[in-house]
Amino acid sequence: MIPGFDLVQLTQSAGPIAALMIVAAIIFAENGLLIGFFFPGDSMLITLGLLIQDLNKQHSQLDINLAVLVLIAAAIAGSYVGYIFGKKIGPRLFTRQNSLLFKQENIQRAQEFYNRFGGKTIILARFVPIVRTFVPLIAGIAKMDSRQFMIYNILGGAIWISSIT
């Protein structure tokens, strides 16, 4: 998944709680930090779910329900950070002049798109690697209503994490 990173070996050496915290940090980064777009979130969730199932046969102390709640919180928080970052840089983009790589009309089109399809986009983007990193940022830039964003962020995070893990 990540070169030099073995989740199974980490779980065996550091323990399942440490592995869960590292996966939660990766899920947070993948969902909200622009540098996290290359992380294999889906693969890590599947692997962690299978590891927990295997560990529970050995009477491990890690409960799948607790793991899912921690990961949902990480996914929601990560997306919210991306959204807030988009809201912070958004106003500067709305006052920026058109250039070769930047056009005001694209920002306006994004705003119209999020007004119309924002909720569906927030939920469905969770299931598309790379896209899930940038959708919250663009939602913030496009001035999507923060209350609406959080409702769909929570719903999308819960559906994605619980269905994949």
Side-chain angles (χ1 to χ4, degrees), residues 4-100:
F5 180 77
D6 185 347
L7 187 57
V8 176
Q9 184 180 4
L10 175 70
T11 304
Q12 292 169 345
S13 61
I17 300 295
L20 172 62
M21 292 299 112
I22 289 172
V23 171
I26 289 170
I27 294 299
F28 175 87
E30 184 189 25
N31 279 270
L33 305 179
L34 295 178
I35 60 166
F37 71 90
F38 63 88
F39 286 134
D42 295 330
S43 301
M44 296 198 95
L45 292 174
I46 291 167
T47 304
L48 185 66
L50 292 171
L51 279 171
I52 292 171
Q53 180 183 7
D54 188 50
L55 289 171
N56 284 340
K57 291 178 184 173
Q58 303 169 16
H59 306 292
S60 173
Q61 299 171 342
L62 185 57
D63 178 46
I64 187 70
N65 296 317
L66 172 64
V68 166
L69 287 176
V70 168
L71 295 169
I72 288 171
I76 291 168
S79 287
Y80 188 65
V81 166
Y83 173 78
I84 293 299
F85 184 68
K87 273 196 116 132
K88 295 281 185 207
I89 66 168
R92 283 183 265 161
L93 291 176
F94 279 99
T95 59
R96 189 171 173 191
Q97 297 286 332
N98 284 340
S99 67
L100 182 63

